[in-house]
Amino acid sequence: MSGQTNLENTGKNALEADTAVSAGTPMEHSKFFGPSASHSWLRCPYSAIARNTIPDKSSVYAETGHLAHELCEIKLKLYFSQITAEEYQNRLDAIKAHELFTADMLSNSETYLQTVKELSMEHYTVEPIAYIEQLVRYEDICGEDGFGTSDCVLLGGDTLTVVDYKNGQGVAVSAKNNPQMRLYAYGALHSVVMPFLYDIKKIVMCIVQPNINLISTDVISKDELTDWIETQVKPAVSKIQSGCRDRVPGHWCKDAFCLNYAYCAAWREKFAAVYADYQTEYKDIEIDTLSPDELGELYTKTQELSSWLKKLDKQVEALLKKNVPVKGWKLVAGRSTRVFTDVDKAYEALSEAAKLDKEMFYSRVPLGITEASKLVGKKVFDAACEPYMTKSQGKPAVVPESDPRKAIDASAASDFADMAVPQDKPSDPPNENPQTNTKNQGGN
Ligand code: SF4
């Protein structure tokens, strides 16, 4: 497909251009080998190219995260006496005045500060040196493009600690085997630690994700870190630098927000393979009589394509909204509905006309937990509301058998009605007729 070729060519130029740029001044973000993108570039060489050829747009989530990080930064800097109380107050006032500020950010930054204090006490006999929003470099691996900014680096004795604040609440991020954290740690070892002063043996990595009450820590030795760099990072970097355009699809395409996801040739190939497989393997089966085993097999094959297809939906819509023609599709106006231009004035007029109390046209609805918590901050909310709260049973989720959670006994639960087999399909295992069940049944 011509678009693919163009993208590849542009990608190649981007890498070559970067090699030239890399001799100059450092950039704010690493172009190819940034720690935060390492989840994808370590596994898929082409994702590094895609990051530089497909424009990324800043989102309100990114801006909110940036503001929350700034609050964490000043909290820590004040605690470690790296800014004055006056500077702290001025910056805090500016943060609070920002339209994206929420009271929740204050309690989250407190959690972050508290975690850093606990790490200091747990892993150091005297207060460690703190490097906050610290540029760390690993240019020995990938030239001057090898750098990133760590939220917090703690240094003392034989221990190096890196702490990262995550503002997201969609995906829980673990510090265990986390390449981003390991690259921060290696970068700090390489560019912050003075080897003649510190003989680092232990590496502590901690992710603080207060919006989902998650604090995750991993501890490895310096030797383990060095081994990981040699066996995982260096081969990946050299592949990319040698011009490898391999696309290696997996959960990181979605989880690491690869900008090439909707266009990716690897996903198109996966789609084509499943379709071809379906046409050959299932051609003799009456589709309406799939057994649960056959259904499970088919679901496994198609499941990983579902998020890619959703991405495709969004991409088509995004292009049409930018007036880019997409063959076979167009944008039409949604169904028009009547809306108030001024609901208060309308109901004032209505209450007079109908001779009814105006309040009868309003209902009192309590704020949701998230909204109320954001309004007053999580700490205040939890303290006041805890006695009046309980946990409802979560909606059952279908996951692969490899998932570590224990399967529930659906027959013991009463509220799974919405998971029942649809009424227009047979509700009992349908493959009692061997004539129509030509495919071998796989075991569970
Ligand atoms: S979508 Fe996945 S396979 Fe494709 S370039 Fe991105 S990371 Fe690689």
Side-chain angles (χ1 to χ4, degrees), residues 33-139:
F33 302 113
S36 60
S38 58
H39 296 274
S40 53
W41 64 254
L42 276 170
R43 289 150 163 157
C44 171
Y46 192 74
S47 69
I49 306 298
R51 284 184 65 228
N52 290 281
T53 49
I54 301 172
D56 192 9
K57 51 183 190 314
S58 177
S59 69
V60 71
Y61 302 108
E63 279 183 52
T64 308
H66 185 74
L67 198 67
H69 268 87
E70 201 183 335
L71 188 51
C72 289
E73 177 195 338
I74 60 168
K75 276 265 164 74
L76 230 53
K77 281 188 169 166
L78 182 71
Y79 175 74
F80 285 106
S81 307
Q82 295 180 9
I83 53 173
T84 64
E86 189 186 359
E87 188 183 342
Y88 170 78
Q89 194 56 51
N90 288 342
R91 288 182 65 181
L92 179 64
D93 290 345
I95 292 168
K96 281 183 167 177
H98 197 285
E99 59 178 347
L100 294 175
F101 172 77
T102 61
D104 226 20
M105 289 179 185
L106 287 173
S107 56
N108 286 351
S109 61
E110 274 303 319
T111 306
Y112 174 69
L113 173 62
Q114 196 54 39
T115 307
V116 172
K117 284 185 194 174
E118 283 165 15
L119 288 165
S120 306
M121 284 189 283
E122 189 183 339
H123 297 285
Y124 300 90
T125 45
V126 290
E127 188 172 273
I129 304 174
Y131 300 86
I132 299 156
E133 288 295 307
Q134 176 65 39
L135 182 73
V136 296
R137 294 188 165 280
Y138 37 94
E139 62 231 324

Side-chain angles (χ1 to χ4, degrees), residues 152-228:
C152 174
V153 177
L154 302 175
L155 178 60
D158 66 355
T159 303
L160 175 81
T161 300
V162 285
V163 193
D164 199 50
Y165 174 86
K166 300 261 179 238
N167 200 54
Q169 42 194 316
V171 180
V173 187
S174 167
K176 297 262 179 238
N177 301 316
N178 186 306
Q180 180 182 8
M181 299 304 287
R182 289 183 174 202
L183 280 173
Y184 284 142
Y186 184 81
L189 260 182
H190 182 80
S191 60
V192 178
V193 177
M194 283 163 285
F196 52 90
L197 282 181
Y198 298 95
D199 181 17
I200 297 296
K201 292 192 170 67
K202 186 170 78 171
I203 312 283
V204 180
M205 292 160 290
C206 177
I207 292 177
V208 185
Q209 200 172 0
N211 276 321
I212 53 166
N213 290 325
L214 184 69
I215 295 172
S216 165
T217 307
D218 196 16
V219 182
I220 58 172
S221 67
K222 184 185 164 191
D223 287 347
E224 278 177 82
L225 180 65
T226 312
D227 183 57
W228 177 75

